[in-house]
C-alpha cells in the first residue's frame, strides 16, 4: 500500500518521479514502448528517441535527488543546472501563476519544464513546502506526499520500507540474541 497521491498541483512531479519503481526494478523510461504509454497517458508527445529517454531518466533522478536532500549543495546545483537547461527566466501569467519560458526545445524540454514548473510553483513554498518527499530507503526513493500534520514522514510505506528499516535497526542492535547473552 502506497500513500494517497499528491494534490493535483504536484501530480506532475510525483507521476514523473515515480516512473521508476526501484524496489521492483521497473522503469517506464527503460523502453520506448513503456515510455510511449506513460507519455501518452500524461498528455505528452510519445515519440522519443533513446537519447531523449536517457535525458528524461537523468532529469527524473535529478528531481528525486533534490527531494531526498533539499539542502544538499550537490542536489541544488544539479537541480539548478536542469532548470537552466530547459527553462529561461520565469514569467507570471495573467492569472498570477508562474510559468517557465522555454530555453530548450523538443519533447524532453517540454516534459521536464512541466514537472519543474509544478515543483517550483507549488512544491518549494507555501502549504506544500517540504511535504513532497522521496522515500528515505535508498533502494526505494518512491516520491510521496507527506500528509502527516508534523510533515515528518520518512517512508513511502510503513509496511514495506519502514518495516525494513526497523528490522535492520533491530538486527544492528543485536536483536534477541543480544538480550539472551546479557
Amino acid at each position: 500500500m502506497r500513500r494517497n497521491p499528491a494534490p493535483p498541483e504536484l501530480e506532475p512531479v510525483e507521476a514523473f518521479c515515480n516512473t521508476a519503481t526501484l524496489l521492483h526494478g521497473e522503469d517506464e523510461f527503460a523502453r520506448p514502448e513503456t515510455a510511449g504509454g506513460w507519455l501518452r497517458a500524461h498528455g505528452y508527445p510519445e515519440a522519443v528517441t533513446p537519447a531523449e529517454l536517457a535525458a528524461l531518466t537523468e532529469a527524473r533522478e535529478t528531481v528525486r535527488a533534490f527531494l531526498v536532500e533539499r539542502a544538499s549543495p550537490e542536489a541544488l546545483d544539479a537541480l539548478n543546472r536542469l532548470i537552466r537547461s530547459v527553462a529561461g527566466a520565469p514569467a507570471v501569467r495573467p492569472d498570477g501563476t508562474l510559468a517557465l519560458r522555454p530555453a530548450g526545445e523538443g519533447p524532453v524540454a517540454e516534459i521536464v519544464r512541466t514537472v519543474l514548473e509544478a515543483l517550483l510553483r507549488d512544491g518549494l513554498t507555501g502549504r506544500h513546502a517540504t511535504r513532497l518527499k522521496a522515500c528515505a530507503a535508498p533502494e526505494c526513493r518512491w516520491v510521496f506526499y507527506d500528509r502527516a500534520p508534523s510533515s515528518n514522514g520518512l517512508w513511502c510505506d510503513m509496511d514495506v520500507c519502514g518495516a525494513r528499516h526497523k528490522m535492520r535497526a533491530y538486527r544492528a542492535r543485536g536483536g534477541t540474541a543480544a538480550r539472551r547473552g546479557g
Side-chain angles (χ1 to χ4, degrees):
M1 182 196 100
R2 298 279 183 184
R3 293 174 181 253
N4 289 329
E9 57 269 26
L10 291 172
E11 190 276 335
V13 183
E14 185 180 56
F16 180 72
C17 289
N18 290 337
T19 54
T21 307
L22 302 180
L23 280 175
H24 303 291
E26 299 168 356
D27 187 345
E28 299 278 352
F29 296 155
R31 295 186 338 271
E33 311 81 56
T34 57
W38 185 89
L39 293 167
R40 183 175 47 256
H42 289 85
Y44 297 118
E46 62 183 274
V48 290
T49 66
E52 290 169 328
L53 290 178
L56 286 172
T57 300
E58 183 177 344
R60 177 191 66 212
E61 296 310 317
T62 298
V63 174
R64 265 194 201 188
F66 170 76
L67 293 173
V68 167
E69 185 56 55
R70 292 172 183 246
S72 160
E74 295 82 15
L76 287 169
D77 287 346
L79 183 66
N80 283 322
R81 280 192 308 276
L82 178 62
I83 293 167
R84 281 191 304 274
S85 73
V86 299
V92 178
R93 294 183 183 114
D95 66 359
T97 60
L98 173 73
L100 296 179
R101 293 184 179 152
E105 295 301 322
V108 171
E110 178 186 336
I111 294 162
V112 173
R113 233 182 347 267
T114 301
V115 170
L116 292 173
E117 191 172 283
L119 177 65
L120 297 174
R121 182 188 62 234
D122 298 307
L124 300 181
T125 61
R127 68 186 181 105
H128 300 303
T130 72
R131 292 206 176 265
L132 192 65
K133 302 174 177 182
C135 182
E139 67 276 6
C140 179
R141 297 298 189 226
W142 187 261
V143 172
F144 67 96
Y145 187 80
D146 184 4
R147 294 181 185 279
S150 59
S151 185
N152 64 348
L154 296 174
W155 318 109
C156 64
D157 188 339
M158 269 312 292
D159 293 337
V160 178
C161 293
R164 287 179 181 187
H165 171 76
K166 287 180 177 186
M167 184 54 70
R168 285 183 193 129
Y170 174 76
R171 288 179 180 152
R173 290 189 309 267
T176 56
R179 279 186 261 132
R180 277 191 229 134

